[in-house]
Amino acid sequence: MPCTYIVSGGASRLGAAVVRRLHSAGHNIVVGDLDEGAALALSEELGERCFGAACDVGEDLHLEQLVRVARDRFEGLDGIVNNAVTYIDNGIFSSREEWHRAFNVNVFGGARLVAEAVPLLARSLNPAVVNVASIAAKMAQKGRALYPVAKAAIMHLTRMQAVELAEHKIRVNSVSPAWTWSRPIEQASGGDRQHADEVGATLHPLGRIADAEEVADAVVFLLSPQASFITGTDLGVDGGHAILGPDAGIPRQGALAKPPSDD
Ligand SMILES: NC(=O)c1ccc[n+]([C@@H]2O[C@H](COP(=O)([O-])OP(=O)(O)OC[C@H]3O[C@@H](n4cnc5c(N)ncnc54)[C@H](O)[C@@H]3O)[C@@H](O)[C@H]2O)c1
């Protein structure tokens, strides 16, 4: 049966991979993205089951519009993917304004969108929310604060939403990708995928970075009836990154051996 999903930030490579997976399975999608041109281009490409709209998830009126489109155009709503993100970050020295903007987009946007959509989601046979978190939620990094702290908040928000919305049978989970081939990694590597994979190999036991489609597959699974008894959890899509200890998976005991002394 065709379902209807809202995907925020759905015009990005990663968001669009989710949109394409859902669309090719026959579902309707409402794409809300700050990048209006990219959202409209995607909906034009996919056709009438995909509606692209300019949306700032930091604005309640925009979120209300996404829910209204799902209701009026597709007659219901079965799931939400909170994928939109701002990478604005000046580390622990970020200004109050920067903290507000980062949290307004990365945390409050998804929180408010879900709250707005509860009455409509509650009518679905398999209502589900997937919040896109990150491996950054659990690891400290120098030079950053807003993004990792917001992602940590998203993980706990996921648990709070899951327990609160269980009475409506709405399941809420998060996914935590590690390095994924999308705009930020593409930019940082100068568009060199092989180089990104080589650097990423030291961080991911599977020896490369992720494709956006691999993250999308995890999101689609969590939205599906196959995940019907899964709620409040975080699914790592990280090539094994989270299981690494301080040696990054490389045997280093040898480095402890002291050179034999001359005496
Ligand atoms: N790329 C990675 O390596 C990686 C790793 C872990 C997690 N993630 C997560 O994956 C998701 C997608 O990230 P990405 O790497 O594709 O980043 P991206 O910057 O390419 O995509 C983000 C999308 O969100 C949109 N957006 C930004 N601000 C918005 C706003 N206020 N309202 C609505 N839309 C807005 C952008 O226009 C863009 O389309 C994010 O949640 C990110 O944290 C990415």
Side-chain angles (χ1 to χ4, degrees):
M1 205 176 71
C3 296
T4 298
Y5 299 99
I6 294 174
V7 182
S8 77
S12 68
R13 191 193 295 264
L14 204 156
V18 174
V19 172
R20 289 179 200 283
R21 283 285 200 261
L22 292 170
H23 186 266
S24 66
H27 302 306
N28 309 309
I29 327 290
V30 181
V31 175
D33 202 295
L34 199 58
D35 186 341
E36 182 178 17
L40 294 180
L42 183 61
S43 64
E44 254 173 51
E45 178 201 323
L46 295 180
E48 59 182 25
R49 282 190 291 105
C50 179
F51 184 92
C55 164
D56 180 347
V57 297
E59 299 284 341
D60 279 348
L61 286 176
H62 296 199
L63 302 176
E64 287 163 23
Q65 194 217 350
L66 297 184
V67 176
R68 210 177 309 121
V69 170
R71 188 191 61 211
D72 297 348
R73 196 178 172 102
F74 298 123
E75 297 174 349
L77 183 64
D78 300 282
I80 294 175
V81 181
N82 286 311
N83 170 74
V85 72
T86 172
Y87 286 98
I88 174 180
D89 203 326
N90 276 310
I92 62 166
F93 302 106
S94 299
S95 67
R96 186 175 292 271
E97 201 185 340
E98 289 163 335
W99 276 99
H100 272 294
R101 179 65 186 158
F103 268 64
N104 197 29
V105 173
N106 295 350
V107 185
F108 308 158
R112 289 297 313 140
L113 178 56
V114 170
E116 184 64 32
V118 165
L120 205 54
L121 282 172
R123 290 198 240 146
S124 164
L125 293 175
N126 176 39
V129 173
V130 177
N131 297 320
V132 181
S134 169
I135 54 166
K138 291 183 179 166
M139 312 288 169
Q141 284 172 291
K142 284 196 93 162
R144 278 179 127 181
L146 306 192
Y147 179 86
V149 176
K151 291 297 183 182
I154 285 173
M155 266 191 200
H156 203 46
L157 172 66
T158 299
R159 300 181 194 107
M160 308 306 275
Q161 289 172 325
V163 79
E164 192 78 36
L165 300 178
E167 67 177 285
H168 301 292
K169 313 293 180 226
I170 301 172
R171 298 179 299 102
V172 187
N173 294 290
S174 60
V175 292
S176 281
W179 286 13
T180 305
W181 186 246
S182 70
R183 189 192 54 81
I185 299 283
E186 192 174 350
Q187 273 180 1
S189 65
D192 187 338
R193 174 64 194 262
Q194 192 183 336
H195 178 61
D197 276 331
E198 281 165 13
V199 178
T202 59
L203 303 166
H204 310 78
L206 286 181
R208 61 176 175 84
I209 65 170
D211 284 318
E213 291 72 21
E214 293 175 303
V215 179
D217 284 339
V219 172
V220 170
F221 165 68
L222 289 170
L223 292 173
S224 76
Q226 281 69 40
S228 54
F229 206 56
I230 302 177
T231 196
T233 198
D234 179 66
L235 178 55
V237 190
D238 65 359
H241 172 81
I243 59 176
L244 294 180
D247 65 1
I250 301 162
R252 291 191 204 271
Q253 286 91 335
L256 287 171
K258 288 181 149 182
S261 75
D262 290 340
D263 346 309

